[in-house]
Short mmCIF file of all heavy atoms in Angstrom, two decimals:
data_model
loop_
_atom_site.label_atom_id
_atom_site.label_comp_id
_atom_site.label_asym_id
_atom_site.label_seq_id
_atom_site.Cartn_x
_atom_site.Cartn_y
_atom_site.Cartn_z
N LYS A 1 -8.90 -8.34 21.13
CA LYS A 1 -10.28 -8.04 21.46
C LYS A 1 -10.38 -7.60 22.89
O LYS A 1 -11.04 -6.59 23.21
CB LYS A 1 -11.14 -9.29 21.20
CG LYS A 1 -11.40 -9.62 19.74
CD LYS A 1 -12.33 -10.86 19.66
CE LYS A 1 -12.55 -11.26 18.23
NZ LYS A 1 -13.37 -12.48 18.08
N THR A 2 -9.81 -8.41 23.81
CA THR A 2 -9.88 -8.09 25.24
C THR A 2 -9.26 -6.73 25.54
O THR A 2 -9.81 -5.89 26.31
CB THR A 2 -9.17 -9.23 26.05
OG1 THR A 2 -9.83 -10.46 25.78
CG2 THR A 2 -9.21 -8.91 27.54
N LEU A 3 -8.12 -6.46 24.90
CA LEU A 3 -7.41 -5.19 25.16
C LEU A 3 -8.26 -4.00 24.72
O LEU A 3 -8.44 -3.07 25.49
CB LEU A 3 -6.09 -5.23 24.40
CG LEU A 3 -5.37 -3.87 24.29
CD1 LEU A 3 -4.97 -3.36 25.68
CD2 LEU A 3 -4.14 -3.98 23.41
N TYR A 4 -8.75 -4.05 23.49
CA TYR A 4 -9.48 -2.92 22.98
C TYR A 4 -10.79 -2.67 23.73
O TYR A 4 -11.25 -1.54 23.91
CB TYR A 4 -9.66 -3.03 21.46
CG TYR A 4 -8.36 -2.88 20.69
CD1 TYR A 4 -7.84 -3.96 19.99
CD2 TYR A 4 -7.60 -1.68 20.76
CE1 TYR A 4 -6.63 -3.85 19.30
CE2 TYR A 4 -6.38 -1.58 20.10
CZ TYR A 4 -5.94 -2.67 19.37
OH TYR A 4 -4.69 -2.56 18.75
N VAL A 5 -11.47 -3.75 24.12
CA VAL A 5 -12.66 -3.60 24.89
C VAL A 5 -12.32 -2.90 26.25
O VAL A 5 -13.07 -1.98 26.71
CB VAL A 5 -13.34 -4.96 25.23
CG1 VAL A 5 -14.40 -4.82 26.32
CG2 VAL A 5 -14.03 -5.48 23.97
N SER A 6 -11.17 -3.21 26.78
CA SER A 6 -10.78 -2.57 28.09
C SER A 6 -10.51 -1.06 27.88
O SER A 6 -10.52 -0.33 28.89
CB SER A 6 -9.51 -3.25 28.67
OG SER A 6 -8.34 -2.87 27.97
N LEU A 7 -10.28 -0.66 26.63
CA LEU A 7 -10.00 0.74 26.35
C LEU A 7 -11.29 1.46 25.94
O LEU A 7 -11.23 2.63 25.50
CB LEU A 7 -9.01 0.87 25.21
CG LEU A 7 -7.62 0.32 25.47
CD1 LEU A 7 -6.75 0.41 24.21
CD2 LEU A 7 -6.92 1.03 26.64
N GLY A 8 -12.45 0.79 26.03
CA GLY A 8 -13.71 1.43 25.69
C GLY A 8 -14.01 1.39 24.22
O GLY A 8 -14.76 2.21 23.73
N MET A 9 -13.47 0.40 23.50
CA MET A 9 -13.68 0.31 22.08
C MET A 9 -14.55 -0.87 21.65
O MET A 9 -14.83 -1.76 22.44
CB MET A 9 -12.27 0.23 21.35
CG MET A 9 -11.39 1.39 21.71
SD MET A 9 -9.81 1.45 20.82
CE MET A 9 -10.38 2.19 19.24
N LYS A 10 -14.90 -0.87 20.37
CA LYS A 10 -15.72 -1.94 19.78
C LYS A 10 -14.88 -2.62 18.75
O LYS A 10 -14.81 -2.19 17.60
CB LYS A 10 -16.98 -1.33 19.13
CG LYS A 10 -17.80 -2.31 18.34
CD LYS A 10 -18.48 -3.37 19.18
CE LYS A 10 -19.38 -4.24 18.30
NZ LYS A 10 -20.02 -5.33 19.17
N PRO A 11 -14.23 -3.75 19.07
CA PRO A 11 -13.44 -4.47 18.06
C PRO A 11 -14.38 -5.22 17.10
O PRO A 11 -15.32 -5.91 17.50
CB PRO A 11 -12.63 -5.42 18.92
CG PRO A 11 -13.36 -5.59 20.21
CD PRO A 11 -14.14 -4.32 20.47
N LEU A 12 -14.04 -5.09 15.81
CA LEU A 12 -14.81 -5.80 14.77
C LEU A 12 -13.80 -6.69 14.09
O LEU A 12 -12.87 -6.22 13.39
CB LEU A 12 -15.42 -4.80 13.79
CG LEU A 12 -16.10 -5.38 12.55
CD1 LEU A 12 -17.28 -6.25 12.95
CD2 LEU A 12 -16.56 -4.29 11.62
N HIS A 13 -13.99 -8.05 14.21
CA HIS A 13 -13.02 -8.99 13.61
C HIS A 13 -13.44 -9.21 12.16
O HIS A 13 -14.45 -9.74 11.83
CB HIS A 13 -13.15 -10.29 14.37
CG HIS A 13 -12.13 -11.32 13.87
ND1 HIS A 13 -12.24 -12.64 14.18
CD2 HIS A 13 -11.04 -11.21 13.08
CE1 HIS A 13 -11.26 -13.30 13.60
NE2 HIS A 13 -10.47 -12.42 12.96
N VAL A 14 -12.51 -8.74 11.28
CA VAL A 14 -12.68 -8.97 9.83
C VAL A 14 -12.07 -10.34 9.54
O VAL A 14 -10.86 -10.52 9.60
CB VAL A 14 -11.98 -7.86 9.03
CG1 VAL A 14 -12.19 -8.09 7.51
CG2 VAL A 14 -12.49 -6.51 9.45
N ARG A 15 -12.91 -11.31 9.27
CA ARG A 15 -12.48 -12.70 9.28
C ARG A 15 -11.59 -13.10 8.09
O ARG A 15 -10.91 -14.11 8.14
CB ARG A 15 -13.67 -13.61 9.35
CG ARG A 15 -14.39 -13.58 10.71
CD ARG A 15 -15.53 -14.50 10.79
NE ARG A 15 -16.58 -14.25 9.79
CZ ARG A 15 -17.53 -13.37 9.94
NH1 ARG A 15 -17.63 -12.66 11.08
NH2 ARG A 15 -18.43 -13.17 9.01
N ARG A 16 -11.67 -12.34 7.00
CA ARG A 16 -10.82 -12.60 5.83
C ARG A 16 -10.08 -11.37 5.39
O ARG A 16 -10.62 -10.27 5.45
CB ARG A 16 -11.68 -13.09 4.64
CG ARG A 16 -12.25 -14.50 4.90
CD ARG A 16 -13.19 -14.84 3.73
NE ARG A 16 -12.57 -14.80 2.45
CZ ARG A 16 -13.22 -14.92 1.26
NH1 ARG A 16 -14.49 -15.11 1.29
NH2 ARG A 16 -12.55 -14.86 0.15
N GLU A 17 -8.82 -11.52 5.01
CA GLU A 17 -8.06 -10.40 4.53
C GLU A 17 -8.65 -9.80 3.25
O GLU A 17 -8.97 -10.54 2.32
CB GLU A 17 -6.64 -10.84 4.21
CG GLU A 17 -5.76 -10.95 5.43
CD GLU A 17 -4.30 -11.21 4.99
OE1 GLU A 17 -3.98 -12.34 4.57
OE2 GLU A 17 -3.47 -10.30 5.09
N ILE A 18 -8.81 -8.50 3.23
CA ILE A 18 -9.26 -7.79 2.08
C ILE A 18 -8.77 -6.37 2.15
O ILE A 18 -8.75 -5.77 3.22
CB ILE A 18 -10.82 -7.83 1.93
CG1 ILE A 18 -11.25 -7.15 0.65
CG2 ILE A 18 -11.47 -7.17 3.14
CD1 ILE A 18 -12.78 -7.34 0.39
N GLU A 19 -8.27 -5.81 1.00
CA GLU A 19 -7.74 -4.48 1.01
C GLU A 19 -8.75 -3.50 1.51
O GLU A 19 -9.93 -3.52 1.11
CB GLU A 19 -7.26 -4.08 -0.38
CG GLU A 19 -6.07 -4.85 -0.91
CD GLU A 19 -6.43 -6.18 -1.54
OE1 GLU A 19 -7.60 -6.56 -1.47
OE2 GLU A 19 -5.52 -6.84 -2.13
N ALA A 20 -8.31 -2.58 2.38
CA ALA A 20 -9.17 -1.51 2.96
C ALA A 20 -10.24 -2.00 3.92
O ALA A 20 -11.02 -1.21 4.41
CB ALA A 20 -9.77 -0.65 1.85
N PHE A 21 -10.29 -3.35 4.14
CA PHE A 21 -11.16 -3.86 5.20
C PHE A 21 -12.64 -3.59 4.93
O PHE A 21 -13.10 -3.74 3.78
CB PHE A 21 -10.69 -3.45 6.56
CG PHE A 21 -9.17 -3.34 6.67
CD1 PHE A 21 -8.53 -2.23 7.12
CD2 PHE A 21 -8.38 -4.39 6.23
CE1 PHE A 21 -7.16 -2.14 7.21
CE2 PHE A 21 -6.98 -4.35 6.28
CZ PHE A 21 -6.37 -3.21 6.74
N ILE A 22 -13.38 -3.18 5.90
CA ILE A 22 -14.84 -2.98 5.73
C ILE A 22 -15.21 -1.50 5.63
O ILE A 22 -15.71 -1.05 4.60
CB ILE A 22 -15.65 -3.69 6.84
CG1 ILE A 22 -15.41 -5.22 6.84
CG2 ILE A 22 -17.15 -3.38 6.72
CD1 ILE A 22 -16.03 -5.94 7.98
N ALA A 23 -14.96 -0.78 6.69
CA ALA A 23 -15.43 0.57 6.78
C ALA A 23 -14.83 1.48 5.72
O ALA A 23 -15.50 2.30 5.08
CB ALA A 23 -15.15 1.16 8.17
N ASP A 24 -13.53 1.33 5.46
CA ASP A 24 -12.90 2.20 4.45
C ASP A 24 -13.40 1.87 3.07
O ASP A 24 -13.47 2.80 2.22
CB ASP A 24 -11.36 2.01 4.52
CG ASP A 24 -10.74 2.98 5.54
OD1 ASP A 24 -11.46 3.68 6.21
OD2 ASP A 24 -9.48 2.94 5.65
N ARG A 25 -13.72 0.62 2.78
CA ARG A 25 -14.25 0.29 1.49
C ARG A 25 -15.61 1.03 1.24
O ARG A 25 -15.92 1.53 0.16
CB ARG A 25 -14.46 -1.23 1.32
CG ARG A 25 -13.11 -1.95 1.28
CD ARG A 25 -13.32 -3.43 1.18
NE ARG A 25 -13.73 -3.85 -0.14
CZ ARG A 25 -12.83 -4.21 -1.10
NH1 ARG A 25 -11.56 -4.22 -0.87
NH2 ARG A 25 -13.27 -4.56 -2.27
N LEU A 26 -16.42 1.10 2.33
CA LEU A 26 -17.69 1.79 2.21
C LEU A 26 -17.46 3.28 2.07
O LEU A 26 -18.16 3.92 1.24
CB LEU A 26 -18.51 1.49 3.46
CG LEU A 26 -18.91 0.02 3.71
CD1 LEU A 26 -19.57 -0.14 5.06
CD2 LEU A 26 -19.80 -0.46 2.57
N MET A 27 -16.53 3.81 2.83
CA MET A 27 -16.28 5.27 2.77
C MET A 27 -15.69 5.63 1.42
O MET A 27 -16.01 6.75 0.86
CB MET A 27 -15.37 5.72 3.88
CG MET A 27 -16.03 5.67 5.26
SD MET A 27 -15.04 6.42 6.60
CE MET A 27 -13.69 5.28 6.71
N GLU A 28 -14.81 4.76 0.86
CA GLU A 28 -14.22 5.06 -0.44
C GLU A 28 -15.30 5.13 -1.56
O GLU A 28 -15.19 5.92 -2.50
CB GLU A 28 -13.16 4.03 -0.76
CG GLU A 28 -11.88 4.18 -0.02
CD GLU A 28 -11.10 5.44 -0.39
OE1 GLU A 28 -11.17 5.82 -1.56
OE2 GLU A 28 -10.49 6.05 0.48
N ALA A 29 -16.29 4.24 -1.44
CA ALA A 29 -17.36 4.24 -2.46
C ALA A 29 -18.05 5.60 -2.45
O ALA A 29 -18.34 6.19 -3.51
CB ALA A 29 -18.34 3.11 -2.16
N LEU A 30 -18.42 6.11 -1.26
CA LEU A 30 -19.10 7.39 -1.16
C LEU A 30 -18.16 8.48 -1.59
O LEU A 30 -18.61 9.44 -2.30
CB LEU A 30 -19.53 7.61 0.29
CG LEU A 30 -20.41 8.81 0.53
CD1 LEU A 30 -21.34 8.53 1.72
CD2 LEU A 30 -19.62 10.07 0.83
#
């Protein structure tokens, strides 16, 4: 988290393992 913030990014912690995580699951549906 600290590293990616220092690179100007927005880390999103996915608290449980799930295939394709969050954003890709939404994009795959569309």
Side-chain angles (χ1 to χ4, degrees):
K1 287 181 182 178
T2 300
L3 168 63
Y4 292 115
V5 166
S6 78
L7 298 175
M9 304 186 80
K10 172 68 175 179
L12 175 63
H13 183 196
V14 183
R15 292 183 297 276
R16 291 174 56 188
E17 281 187 284
I18 184 172
E19 292 85 352
F21 324 129
I22 296 174
D24 273 3
R25 293 177 76 91
L26 298 173
M27 290 190 292
E28 284 293 325
L30 189 150

